[in-house]
Amino acid sequence: MGRITLDKVSKSFGEVNVIPPLDLTIEDGEFVVFVGPSGCGKSTLLRLIAGLEDITSGQIRIDGNDATHMPPAKRGLAMVFQSYALYPHMSVKKNIAFPMKMAGVDPAEQERRIKSAAEALNLTAYLDRRPGQLSGGQRQRVAIGRAIVREPAAFLFDEPLSNLDAALRVGMRLEISELHNRLETTMIYVTHDQVEAMTMADKIVVLQAGVIEQVGSPMELYHKPRNAFVAGFIGSPKMNLIGGAEAAKHNAATIGVRPEHIAVSATEGTWKGTIGVSEHLGSDTFFHVHGTGLADAMTIRAGGEVDLHHGDTVFLTPDADKIHRFDKEGLRIE
Amino acid sequence: MATQASRSAARLMVSPSVILLFIWMAVPLGMVIYYSFRRYRLLNPERAGWNGWSNYSSFVFSPDFGGALVNTLILVLGVLIITVVLGILIALLIDQPIWGQGPVRILVISPFFIMPPVSALVWKNMFFNPSNGLFGELFKYLGMRPFDFLGQAPLGSIVTIVAWEWLPFATLILLTALQSLDSEQLEAAEMDGAPVLKRFWYIILPHMSRSITVVILIQTIFLLGIFGEILVTTAGGPGTASTTLPFLIFKEALLDFDVGTAAAGGVVAVILANIVAIFLMKAIGKNLD
Amino acid sequence: MARAVTPARKSINTAAAWTVALIIFFPILWTILTSFKPEPVAVASPPVFLNFDWSFENYETVIQQRGYGQFFWNSMVIAFGSTILGMIIAIPSAWAMAFVHGKRTKDLLMWMLSTKMMPAAGVLVPIYLIAVYFKILDTRFLLTIVLMLMNLPIIIWMLYTYFREIPVDILEAARMDGASLTNEILYVLTPMAVPGIASTLLLNVILAWNESFWTLNLTAFNAAPLTKFIAGFSSPQGLFYAKLSAASVMAFLPIMILGWFSQKQLVRGLTFGAVK
Ligand SMILES: Nc1ncnc2c1ncn2[C@@H]1O[C@H](COP(=O)(O)OP(=O)(O)OP(=O)(O)O)[C@@H](O)[C@H]1O
Ligand SMILES: [Mg+2]
């Protein structure tokens, strides 16, 4: 079980209010991702749930029980740290066994769980090594192994992949998703990488300056961002946000069009501009178009290879159905 | 990491050292200030009473005080100059690619571990002694008359001994600083065409400046308290030629048994040390997180 | 620098460095040599370097006639006693300050350091009077306490800088893994801090061993450590260079060898972490 409820939870460090009162419910078995720009309070929120920080006011309930003043050890949660936080003086096996040793799990059971975790995570060959003798990816797996054997009510991940190189990151992302499918345990995952958020989450929580901007499934956030901030944050490359006269034509203070919802042509279209940088990936082509008078640079994503280059004059046409409109406060207009 | 529970546990764990250090600081300081205004001689304790500022005046205006202050200054400055200058040079030398850097470091660092009475006596007898010392032998060999170092130049001799004791400290710290210099910086300067001396002046020296400050300040703290070396070599003499402030206080207290005057001297020493301490604390404080 | 130097250049540097090093080390070497000489050879003119009848006679004399053992024992008790006592008090404090880093931690550390700035000569009188009052002058107890207090700020500072290098994440991980405060300290913190604790111990034993203001002023005979023993040679009778040397070697050799192993920690400890 792992249903976590935050009820008017707030956090201040001294004078500084990092998280104003906030409500959030995480359902049992859900994969929830906290995203937001650096310093917005993602880690703080996670640590409040973990019990590593005291909350300033409000209540945290885990499976209906008040956990507000419970020490971390009693909450039945497991955490995977960005730095992995492995015990450097213990072998991999001892690292994985440590939480069970603390809980007084009987040795035969310990062996069994270590064995199955090691098999699941491809660690069997490394059980006798020290963390210092492992690669980044292997360390990450040990940290996950240490979390799994506790059979926790929920897993907490704080940017677990940010120390890995790009290729490894994609691999581990899949492994964690598979782990979630297999265990069906609640997972709360902090990242500032919106691709991780989109690919892994059942539910994304977008935070800005400690405030929840929107909670929803990845596709909800993609198709119906509640405000301009979410619109700009979710999706890659970023949505083009356009103000001024062009927005006024749509009865909005700001309009947004995603790069993939703009057609590009050498001959005709709504907006005219000049290509600055063009990035040809084969599968996709990205153009940064200047001189449209709409925004500094418009980002366009075209499928496949498009034979246009730096300095070419182009015409852009937005997909009228996919224009997002926002009012003066940045809120979505339906 | 900062939950209420951990914070109260922390307070409990810190308190023993705080209390002990507070007592260690406040009680003697209070007493030394108290006695500095009292007439109190251990030999006739019954004639005790308040004494106003006269302990201070008798300490500060005694003919020995001015000399002791100057001697303290010469000792501290002399040792500082020798150790810092030689320290930089030796550190630069050892930092070069050489064979046996490890053993060289060990040889250079060794004097630091010799207890002050040992180094003082070894130097006094086996080097400075005009009839049997090695320097005397060297002078004889060169056809000169042996020189009575401790008799003729007592302070200079003590400066030599103390500089020998502290040179390793300066060298080791400056060497550490030197080795932490990013070699890419030097290479960049070399690419920019800076010759060796300029590289030293504009890159190496500024990089070491903080360590040099630390060396100077920490040595000053220790040098202001130099005692054992003087006691076993010259006992402050001949006359008062090598009497420093700590030694003067020691003489008042444990040789003349004049507690009041010694206490006044103590207060003076505390004030002087604190002036240095303020600078040291600033330098170290900057380095905290 | 990762560049090859010409062998000639390296040879010159090596020769220069070794010359300087040997000059600096020479007084120690000479003391060691002299300690094996018969007294007349020790003062022979011109000086004799290696060509003499080596013997341990001086060591025997010093140990048997000058009561070396008692002084050595006092040094051991005082140096290790004060350091271990200091560690017992300092370890919890340093842990607390390193891992529950509050607003006032820095001020507290600086204040602790400031107690170290008190010149010993300044407080000689009160400490002496207190010792007389409690009749503990010339006891190992007094010296142990005084040296402990004198070195306590250094011990706390050194431990603090070592503990600060242990990532807080790991302790938090232990907490998440269900470890109580005791288990956290026992199974996670202590094993990781062992190197730091060991080097702190080492450096402070060295400092206490060589301390020679309080040991000279607060002891007469009963508690007198090796500093006092050596100072006893300052008013000599007859030939004594070889015996002085033997006594000196016995006073510094063990601690000097310990010191060789603590070079790195020395820098850090004596600069209060300002230079690493
Ligand atoms: N112990 C603390 N004391 C004071 N302020 C803190 C403390 N911990 C975090 N903060 C502040 O709280 C805010 C949120 O920090 P937090 O670490 O939660 O951000 P984050 O969203 O995880 O950022 P990142 O993506 O960079 O990890 C920041 O402004 C930070 O400076
Ligand atoms: Mg974070």
Side-chain angles (χ1 to χ4, degrees):
Chain A
M1 286 293 284
R3 182 172 199 271
I4 298 171
T5 315
L6 308 189
D7 194 0
K8 305 213 169 41
V9 166
S10 79
K11 175 68 184 174
S12 305
F13 290 109
E15 297 290 287
V16 192
N17 185 236
V18 177
I19 296 180
L22 155 162
D23 295 312
L24 180 67
T25 302
I26 293 156
E27 298 298 339
D28 183 30
E30 233 174 7
F31 196 118
V32 176
V33 175
F34 295 170
V35 279
S38 188
C40 69
K42 306 180 293 285
S43 300
T44 306
L45 195 55
L46 197 70
R47 292 164 57 82
L48 291 176
I49 296 171
L52 293 171
E53 300 275 358
D54 286 333
I55 65 174
T56 307
S57 68
Q59 198 188 43
I60 294 180
R61 285 191 301 276
I62 298 173
D63 291 328
N65 304 317
D66 183 359
T68 314
H69 300 291
M70 262 188 211
K74 298 263 150 57
R75 298 191 182 195
L77 308 175
M79 183 144 164
V80 175
F81 292 80
Q82 179 173 0
S83 62
Y84 319 135
L86 300 179
Y87 310 120
H89 56 290
M90 297 181 197
S91 66
V92 167
K93 187 170 173 181
K94 289 231 172 77
N95 261 283
I96 296 177
F98 187 76
M100 296 187 283
K101 184 171 160 192
M102 290 298 112
V105 175
D106 101 2
E109 173 66 9
Q110 285 191 23
E111 281 296 329
R112 195 191 61 76
R113 289 197 212 169
I114 292 172
K115 192 159 171 283
S116 87
E119 273 163 16
L121 293 162
N122 268 328
L123 286 170
T124 314
Y126 309 109
L127 281 178
D128 293 321
R129 290 211 200 163
R130 294 278 175 99
Q133 302 162 314
L134 298 178
S135 72
Q138 290 162 344
R139 282 181 218 185
Q140 186 61 69
R141 279 199 273 270
V142 176
I144 293 173
R146 196 172 62 180
I148 292 177
V149 293
R150 293 190 56 194
E151 300 178 347
F155 290 91
L156 311 179
F157 295 90
D158 191 354
E159 310 211 17
L161 306 185
S162 58
N163 285 347
L164 301 179
D165 68 48
L168 212 49
R169 202 145 57 203
V170 175
M172 283 305 296
R173 203 165 79 194
L174 286 173
E175 283 190 40
I176 294 175
S177 293
E178 277 165 16
L179 190 70
H180 180 247
N181 291 339
R182 190 155 51 81
L183 299 177
E184 294 178 335
T185 309
T186 312
M187 292 188 175
I188 307 179
Y189 187 103
V190 164
T191 178
H192 56 236
D193 178 348
Q194 60 90 31
V195 177
E196 274 175 31
M198 296 296 279
T199 52
M200 301 170 86
D202 295 324
K203 181 156 103 189
I204 296 179
V205 177
V206 183
L207 287 161
Q208 185 189 206
V211 176
I212 296 183
E213 296 287 351
Q214 188 168 4
V215 179
S217 72
M219 284 309 117
E220 268 166 34
L221 266 57
Y222 180 83
H223 292 299
K224 285 192 181 340
R226 203 171 66 84
N227 56 31
F229 174 79
V230 177
F233 198 80
I234 297 293
S236 172
K238 281 171 72 126
M239 180 187 282
N240 296 293
L241 291 171
I242 303 160
E246 188 64 33
K249 281 189 212 162
H250 293 84
N251 295 322
T254 312
I255 56 168
V257 196
R258 296 198 183 277
E260 52 272 38
H261 298 150
I262 299 177
V264 60
S265 149
T267 52
E268 57 183 346
T270 317
W271 304 317
K272 184 179 170 204
T274 314
I275 296 178
V277 174
S278 62
E279 299 166 317
H280 301 263
L281 303 183
S283 61
D284 284 301
T285 309
F286 296 100
F287 299 109
H288 300 267
V289 179
H290 302 277
T292 53
L294 304 168
D296 256 3
M298 297 282 287
T299 311
I300 317 300
R301 173 186 198 157
E305 168 62 358
V306 178
D307 194 21
L308 291 167
H309 297 276
H310 174 77
D312 292 349
T313 299
V314 289
F315 296 88
L316 310 176
T317 312
D319 181 342
D321 295 344
K322 302 224 164 113
I323 294 178
H324 303 262
R325 299 186 305 139
F326 304 100
D327 66 14
K328 281 200 304 295
E329 275 77 47
L331 288 179
R332 178 179 191 82
I333 306 171
E334 284 303 332
Chain B
M1 184 78 190
T3 57
Q4 204 56 50
S6 63
R7 243 181 253 117
S8 27
R11 213 163 293 138
L12 199 70
M13 303 214 285
V14 174
S15 42
S17 17
V18 172
I19 293 169
L20 279 175
L21 284 173
F22 182 77
I23 295 173
W24 168 242
M25 185 168 84
V27 172
L29 201 60
M31 281 176 75
V32 80
I33 293 172
Y34 170 80
Y35 281 111
S36 73
F37 293 107
R38 301 282 293 182
R39 178 175 30 239
Y40 185 34
R41 290 171 176 272
L42 288 176
L43 291 182
N44 44 355
E46 57 286 348
R47 283 195 56 230
W50 289 101
N51 211 5
W53 291 92
S54 70
N55 288 328
Y56 285 92
S57 53
S58 73
F59 184 80
V60 173
F61 294 120
S62 83
D64 297 349
F65 175 72
L69 208 56
V70 172
N71 288 341
T72 311
L73 219 64
I74 295 177
L75 176 66
V76 172
L77 286 180
V79 174
L80 281 180
I81 293 171
I82 296 174
T83 51
V84 171
V85 172
L86 287 185
I88 292 175
L89 294 177
I90 297 173
L92 284 172
L93 181 60
I94 300 180
D95 193 38
Q96 303 293 316
I98 56 169
W99 283 292
Q101 199 180 50
V104 164
R105 273 174 73 121
I106 282 182
L107 292 182
V108 170
I109 185 76
S110 293
F112 191 75
F113 305 114
I114 311 298
M115 55 177 65
V118 167
S119 26
L121 282 180
V122 164
W123 277 91
K124 174 188 180 181
N125 292 302
M126 295 176 0
F127 288 87
F128 289 149
N129 187 307
S131 46
N132 298 322
L134 282 185
F135 286 166
E137 294 291 340
L138 189 66
F139 276 50
K140 266 190 264 176
Y141 179 76
L142 297 173
M144 294 187 292
R145 280 196 34 225
F147 182 72
D148 180 6
F149 287 91
L150 284 164
Q152 304 293 314
L155 205 53
S157 309
I158 291 173
V159 167
T160 310
I161 298 173
V162 177
W164 179 74
E165 290 175 325
W166 283 92
L167 182 58
F169 172 78
T171 309
L172 191 62
I173 286 175
L174 296 173
L175 182 62
T176 310
L178 205 55
Q179 288 173 339
S180 74
L181 177 62
D182 180 10
S183 68
E184 282 183 8
Q185 243 187 67
L186 278 179
E187 281 162 6
E190 208 178 336
M191 299 292 289
D192 291 343
V196 174
L197 264 180
K198 283 227 166 94
R199 279 194 306 237
F200 173 73
W201 194 255
Y202 290 108
I203 295 178
I204 298 180
L205 211 53
H207 173 79
M208 291 209 286
S209 65
R210 222 177 62 86
S211 306
I212 294 175
T213 318
V214 171
V215 167
I216 289 176
L217 292 168
I218 289 172
Q219 281 200 34
T220 307
I221 295 291
F222 282 95
L223 296 178
L224 280 174
I226 288 292
F227 174 80
E229 291 87 339
I230 301 176
L231 181 73
V232 302
T233 51
T234 63
T240 56
S242 59
T243 298
T244 59
L245 206 51
F247 202 79
L248 188 62
I249 296 170
F250 157 80
K251 273 209 291 206
E252 296 285 356
L254 300 189
L255 299 183
D256 299 345
F257 298 109
D258 184 349
V259 171
T261 308
V267 174
V268 173
V270 169
I271 292 170
L272 289 182
N274 271 295
I275 296 173
V276 183
I278 289 169
F279 289 102
L280 175 58
M281 306 280 279
K282 279 216 177 105
I284 291 174
K286 254 188 225 140
N287 200 53
L288 271 185
D289 37 47
Chain C
M1 234 169 292
R3 201 168 345 150
V5 241
T6 61
R9 185 71 199 281
K10 191 166 174 179
S11 310
I12 294 170
N13 286 338
T14 304
W18 275 93
T19 309
V20 169
L22 285 172
I23 290 174
I24 291 174
F25 190 74
F26 183 75
I28 297 171
L29 183 67
W30 187 246
T31 308
I32 296 172
L33 287 179
T34 306
S35 72
F36 293 105
K37 295 173 184 173
E39 288 292 0
V41 178
V43 294
S45 171
V48 178
F49 277 83
L50 297 171
N51 187 17
F52 56 86
D53 288 332
W54 293 61
S55 93
F56 278 98
E57 201 186 314
N58 300 309
Y59 288 92
E60 283 161 23
T61 314
V62 167
I63 291 170
Q64 283 161 12
Q65 291 171 19
R66 301 267 191 150
Y68 171 83
Q70 166 79 14
F71 293 97
F72 179 80
W73 176 241
N74 285 339
S75 272
M76 292 288 285
V77 171
I78 293 167
F80 282 92
S82 64
T83 304
I84 290 169
L85 192 61
M87 298 286 282
I88 292 172
I89 295 166
I91 288 177
S93 304
W95 267 339
M97 288 193 285
F99 297 120
V100 188
H101 201 75
K103 278 192 295 292
R104 285 192 303 274
T105 305
K106 186 176 162 179
D107 296 337
L108 197 58
L109 275 165
M110 293 313 283
W111 171 77
M112 287 182 172
L113 187 55
S114 76
T115 65
K116 183 79 195 132
M117 310 290 165
M118 184 106 77
V123 291
L124 171 61
V125 168
I127 301 295
Y128 191 83
L129 293 177
I130 291 172
V132 170
Y133 181 81
F134 288 107
K135 302 199 169 56
I136 48 173
L137 204 59
D138 197 18
T139 59
R140 290 188 292 248
F141 171 78
L142 173 66
L143 265 290
T144 304
I145 297 295
V146 167
L147 294 197
M148 183 276 282
L149 288 167
M150 204 186 74
N151 284 337
L152 190 58
I154 298 191
I155 298 179
I156 292 177
W157 264 82
M158 284 187 73
L159 290 174
Y160 172 81
T161 58
Y162 283 115
F163 290 169
R164 283 288 276 180
E165 280 170 18
I166 295 175
V168 171
D169 277 6
I170 294 188
L171 303 183
E172 291 184 340
R175 211 162 298 170
M176 293 297 297
D177 283 347
S180 62
L181 186 62
T182 322
N183 283 343
E184 181 185 324
I185 288 177
L186 214 57
Y187 292 113
V188 181
L189 207 41
T190 308
M192 289 177 69
V194 161
I197 291 176
S199 33
T200 308
L201 194 84
L202 192 61
L203 179 62
N204 281 280
V205 165
I206 294 172
L207 289 179
W209 186 272
N210 288 342
E211 201 288 329
S212 55
F213 182 84
W214 296 114
T215 52
L216 290 178
N217 281 316
L218 297 179
T219 61
F221 180 75
N222 290 332
L226 287 167
T227 46
K228 193 87 176 181
F229 174 65
I230 298 293
F233 281 85
S234 60
S235 44
Q237 297 113 7
L239 290 177
F240 72 109
Y241 281 20
K243 282 189 270 305
L244 167 64
S245 300
S248 298
V249 171
M250 285 194 285
F252 72 64
L253 204 61
I255 222 70
M256 185 171 78
I257 292 170
L258 272 187
W260 287 345
F261 293 104
S262 70
Q263 284 188 56
K264 288 261 161 51
Q265 294 74 8
L266 191 78
V267 172
R268 202 164 144 146
L270 287 175
T271 61
F272 307 99
V275 176
K276 280 184 206 160

